[in-house]
Amino acid sequence: MSYQFITSAKLPTRHGEFDIHIFENDEGQEHVMLTVGLPVFDQTDIADSILNQKDDALSERPIPLIRIHSECLTGDAFSSLKCDCGPQLNTAMDAIQKTGCGAILYLRQEGRGIGLTNKIRAYALQDQGHDTLDANLMLGLPADARIYDMCGPMLAHVGVNAVRLITNNPSKVAYLTEHGIDVIERVPLVVGVNDMNAEYLATKRDRMGHLLDTDFNTILHLNK
């Protein structure tokens, strides 16, 4: 599937001002990139500037801080306590503003790619005591249906081929690496932990391979 840049504008937020870039795939699905300190490069020159590293602006700027964040309406917009998505997004936006060079890739794949309706169906099963992974499987859905094909074209739009990646998810690191983007550093992000999402986060750690701090048991109040 191909992705194309559509338009961009300035976006003032409570975290600071970002440039907002809109991308669209062949099926009309939109994805968003918020950037700071990452000017858009002429697309006809991007290949040469990245592969040959002849462009001074690319070679002199710091390695950008990048967050790949999949849409979570309940967490990002409604401040749900069932997940850590909202705090992760806001913390990443703050961190990128402070560094002055980075981007949020906001991917429109709600509920780890299963969509909002199925996500709420999974929530209903979680209310009955099933964890986030089993709830998806009980609905006949994958534990994680997200894809990251759009990340390469989005990063190429601002001439990025090496990143400091804000994530606890090794799958994101692996995907970028396999597609020619150097992950110079993985920056952990453990925020928004509360009694309502403790088991959810423990499942991500224990059953989905997320890399969390060694003292995470203490954070989650699970060191019984």
Side-chain angles (χ1 to χ4, degrees):
M1 185 175 296
S2 64
Y3 298 85
Q4 62 176 337
F5 167 73
I6 303 299
T7 189
S8 64
K10 298 294 183 182
L11 183 70
T13 76
R14 65 182 179 86
H15 307 280
E17 184 174 87
F18 291 86
D19 292 316
I20 181 169
H21 312 261
I22 305 300
F23 299 80
E24 191 174 278
N25 66 17
D26 298 336
E27 299 175 350
Q29 184 183 42
E30 298 165 325
H31 299 285
V32 178
M33 180 168 64
L34 303 180
T35 64
V36 174
L38 293 173
V40 174
F41 284 80
D42 184 339
Q43 298 300 295
T44 60
D45 295 332
I46 279 179
D48 287 339
S49 66
I50 288 178
L51 294 177
N52 300 323
Q53 298 189 0
K54 293 180 179 177
D55 192 289
D56 290 339
L58 283 174
S59 61
E60 293 177 3
R61 74 183 181 194
I63 301 297
L65 188 61
I66 304 295
R67 168 70 180 167
I68 299 173
H69 189 95
S70 294
E71 180 181 29
C72 176
L73 178 67
T74 51
D76 298 341
F78 300 149
S79 302
S80 168
L81 297 178
K82 290 179 70 71
C83 65
D84 56 344
C85 301
Q88 284 191 325
L89 177 60
N90 285 289
T91 301
M93 291 175 72
D94 275 339
I96 288 167
Q97 282 289 337
K98 288 176 182 176
T99 65
C101 182
I104 303 283
L105 277 60
Y106 194 86
L107 310 182
R108 305 297 299 278
Q109 40 190 7
E110 177 72 54
R112 298 201 301 271
I114 66 174
L116 182 59
T117 298
N118 282 327
K119 172 180 169 178
I120 302 307
R121 289 179 175 137
Y123 274 6
L125 291 173
Q126 291 174 43
D127 290 342
Q128 298 172 23
H130 304 286
D131 70 28
T132 181
L133 190 153
D134 284 337
N136 281 27
L137 298 180
M138 291 170 69
L139 292 170
L141 300 168
D144 192 339
R146 289 175 294 182
I147 61 172
Y148 302 106
D149 293 355
M150 66 290 288
C151 295
M154 294 170 80
L155 291 172
H157 184 69
V158 286
V160 170
N161 73 327
V163 304
R164 298 170 58 225
L165 187 64
I166 306 174
T167 188
N168 303 321
N169 187 350
S171 295
K172 294 179 181 178
V173 176
Y175 185 87
L176 293 185
T177 301
E178 290 168 3
H179 289 78
I181 298 170
D182 292 332
V183 179
I184 305 301
E185 178 187 4
R186 183 185 71 84
V187 180
L189 183 61
V190 181
V191 292
V193 181
N194 65 76
D195 291 339
M196 299 297 295
N197 65 22
E199 295 291 346
Y200 160 81
L201 294 171
T203 298
K204 290 174 72 174
R205 177 198 59 195
D206 298 337
R207 302 189 63 194
M208 302 179 74
H210 285 223
L211 304 173
L212 300 172
D213 292 344
T214 55
D215 62 347
F216 200 53
N217 278 348
T218 302
I219 300 173
L220 291 177
H221 309 293
L222 293 178
N223 55 334
K224 299 176 181 178

